[in-house]
Structures are given as structure tokens and as C-alpha cells.
Amino acid sequence: MKVAVLGAGAIGAYVGAALHRAGVEVHLIARGEHLQAIRRAGVRVLTPRGDFTAHPHATDDTTQVGPVDHVFLGLKANSYASAGPMIRPLLHETTSIIAAQNGIPWWYFHGLKGPYEGYRIESVDPGGAVTAALPLNRAVGCVVYAATEIERPGVIRHLEGTRFSIGEPDGELTERCAAFSQAATAGGLKCPVERDLRKDVWIKLMGNIAFNPISALARATMAGICRHDGARELVVAMMRETVEVARRVGCDPGISIERRLKGAEKAGEHKTSTLQDLEKGKPLELDVLLAAVVELADLTGAEVPTLRAIHAVSDLLNANLVRAV
């Protein structure tokens, strides 16, 4: 098996290192000081499960890699539309694109029977630009239940979780998913192949849609948000509205809000990826979290006043960041 990790940041480098440890031919696509550190000394993973170092090939030029069996996308979703030129050299006839993204994926209604089959979510796939870069027939979904961070260039701190659930948009159990799952498992990850990955999408989104923007607006950790009575109530309201939208598009997450809150509390003083991006002055990955669910609320007639309010202020924050870059 040959795998390219496009966007070998905190999550991508962690997955790439695990796959390399399992004997997979891995190519990390990174840049800057992080790339140079990996070239010098490999990827150092610091984890409660036992530290290790992997030495996969690393480059910033996908033409040096050539076609692979799987492209694992560690990019932010707001980079997908412009990723086509980097991805094309990595593709052969059957290459899959495994997108480890938060929020609603561009493939969400692809292969989904029902009244919205084939609907393109404009806030996620504006003008079809993401679909053009990442063809739907190559898409494999991936929901990440792991927390990692780049401690310093070339060094990944694994905080918690090893589960990377994957699945085909149409729910089939394919050989390409089975092969990737087997390799990831051999490298020390949990990688179940799910028939209904959309349920995982909404379970993860219940937390992300609330904690990510609030953490950026309040500059608070997940535990800090949970400890604040008013912020906790805001999270609950956002989760309720999100579950209602999920049910209207045919998916019941099947998990209580209280249980979801307890799961978030376990993360402790963890900074969400959105807060980390804010502190680095990077654009915020909000369209796939908030804008997409508001769009689906409009599509289905769901009332989501809290989501709309938080979307408005966090979108303004993001616009100011973009202007400052």
C-alpha cells in the first residue's frame, strides 16, 4: 500500500507515522520548518501509549510522490477547493481520497437515498469547486476522535483518542476501506469501517459546532466552557438545534446531549483547533461547522436562532482575521 498524507500537520503526521510503523509506504506532504524537521529527524510522536519515531518520506512537492492508493487529507476544509493541483499528481484510476475533516463534508448527500440526494451544500462546496478538486467517486469519509498538536516542528503530542472512523458515502463495505482500516489498525489506531458514517459526522459535529466557535470568541478551553454556567447553557442550546437539523435530513445521532457534554469535559484544558488557528492568526474553519448547518436548517425549515447568532459573530471574527492576513 502507498499512502500520501496531504497536510501532514498535527493529525496528518500522527496518522502517517502510525501507518509507516505498520509497514505502509507513506509520503508526508508538509511545508516550512515542520517539513525540514521531519526530513532531519523523522516524526517524533509523544503519546501516553508509548513514544515512537517514524521516518517516512517527506516533501512539499506531490509530483515527487506520484500516484498512490490512498490520499489522506489532513488539510483544513477551507483549503479543499484549492487543493486540486496538489492532488492530481497523486491519483491513479482507483485512488481514494480519505478526508479527515470536521463538520459537514462535501460528499454528504452523495449516494444518500431520499429527498435531498445529490444536493450540493453551497457553504461547503461553493460553486462545486470542492467536488471539482475532490471527485465524489473517490471520496471516503473520515471522522476523527483524536486530539493531537504540533509541540514543535517534527514533534507531535498525542493527547487522547486513537479512533478514525471511515466509511463510503453510499454505505458499502468496500475493499479500499477494509485495506486502509487494516493498515491503520496495524499501526496502533482504531479505524472501524462504518456503514452509516453520517451518524458519526453528527455526533462529532454536536461538539464542534458549539465548542469551536465559542472557544475562539471567549478564548476558552473546552473544560473552561463547561465550567461556566452561561456558556454551558449556550452549548446545550446549540446542540439541541443541531440534533433537530440532523433529524430533518434523516439522521438521528443517537447520543444524549449530557453524554456529549461529558465527553467534551474529558478533554480538559484542551484548546480547540479553531482557537489554535485564531491564536496563530489563521482563517477559521467555520463554514463546514456553522454555515453548513444553518444552510441545512434553511433547506429543511428548522428553527436555529442560537446557531444563527453564533454564526454571525464568529463569521465577523473570521472576516476580520482574513482581512488582517
Side-chain angles (χ1 to χ4, degrees), residues 1 22 30 36 43 79 107-108 125 195 228 234 288 311:
M1 181 183 294
Q36 299 308 317
V43 178
S79 300
W107 53 259
Y108 189 86
D125 188 9
R195 282 192 177 274
H228 188 278
L234 185 59
V288 295
H311 175 236

Side-chain angles (χ1 to χ4, degrees), residues 130-237:
V130 174
T131 296
L134 312 176
L136 290 169
N137 66 305
R138 297 185 182 275
V140 171
C142 178
V143 178
V144 177
Y145 295 94
T148 60
E149 60 186 23
I150 299 177
E151 184 161 294
R152 59 184 183 275
V155 178
I156 306 300
R157 171 73 65 177
H158 172 229
L159 303 171
E160 64 166 358
T162 60
R163 181 177 161 197
F164 293 77
S165 298
I166 63 173
E168 298 281 357
D170 64 4
E172 288 190 21
L173 300 179
T174 59
E175 177 57 32
R176 66 182 184 178
C177 282
F180 185 86
S181 172
Q182 183 177 6
T185 301
L189 305 178
K190 294 178 181 177
C191 190
V193 181
E194 304 288 354
R195 282 192 177 274
D196 184 11
L197 192 67
R198 290 173 181 84
K199 187 172 182 178
D200 285 79
V201 167
W202 285 104
I203 290 172
K204 181 78 181 292
L205 181 55
M206 284 173 66
N208 287 147
I209 201 170
F211 285 101
N212 285 51
I214 292 173
S215 70
L217 292 166
R219 295 182 182 260
T221 64
M222 292 177 70
I225 293 168
C226 290
R227 285 194 301 267
H228 188 278
D229 290 343
R232 189 184 182 96
E233 289 178 10
L234 185 59
V235 168
V236 169

